[in-house]
């Protein structure tokens, strides 16, 4: 009986791996941007704009994470530099993270 259970478990695992349903490791969690990185959101009737400003004393790499939409690319901001991410539709700002 033990051999049958092992065979069934092996076949089940093989089927899951073959179908792509097996659990995979999640990507590394991106840390929130430091407090010196300032984010503002502008919501108008025609679009939704996220503005990120680097008020840090050094360059930082940031990414704007959106709900229900495409995130921004990872971008290096020098001290005092701005990043804008403009969208339309249902997308809203979720968080600004380091990358």
């Amino acid at each position: 009986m033990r051999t049958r259970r092992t065979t069934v478990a092996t076949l089940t695992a093989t089927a899951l791996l073959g179908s792509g349903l097996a659990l995979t490791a999640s990507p590394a969690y991106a840390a929130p941007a430091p407090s010196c990185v300032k984010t503002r959101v502008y919501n108008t009737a025609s679009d939704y704009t996220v503005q990120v400003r680097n008020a840090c004393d050094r360059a930082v790499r940031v990414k704007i994470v959106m709900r229900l939409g495409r995130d921004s690319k990872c971008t290096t901001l020098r001290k005092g530099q701005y990043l804008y991410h403009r969208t339309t539709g249902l997308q809203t700002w979720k968080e600004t993270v380091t990358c």
Side-chain angles (χ1 to χ4, degrees):
M1 196 62 157
R2 176 163 282 190
T3 305
R4 185 168 183 228
R5 283 188 204 151
T6 304
T7 304
V8 170
T10 303
L11 290 173
T12 303
T14 303
L16 285 174
L17 288 171
S19 66
L21 296 176
L23 296 176
T24 58
S26 60
Y29 175 75
S35 60
C36 55
V37 174
K38 308 299 182 188
T39 303
R40 298 180 94 182
V41 175
Y42 302 96
N43 190 8
T44 66
S46 61
D47 67 357
Y48 188 90
T49 303
V50 181
Q51 173 194 38
V52 177
R53 180 176 59 93
N54 180 8
C56 303
D57 290 333
R58 59 181 171 75
V60 293
R61 291 181 53 82
V62 296
K63 178 180 182 178
I64 299 170
V65 180
M66 302 297 287
R67 285 186 188 92
L68 302 173
R70 187 177 299 175
D71 300 343
S72 73
K73 294 179 182 177
C74 185
T75 305
T76 301
L77 294 178
R78 295 183 309 270
K79 179 181 177 182
Q81 191 174 11
Y82 289 84
L83 170 65
Y84 294 93
H85 187 70
R86 182 176 173 260
T87 64
T88 57
L90 298 175
Q91 302 175 45
T92 58
W93 175 77
K94 181 177 179 183
E95 64 182 333
T96 304
V97 297
T98 58
C99 51

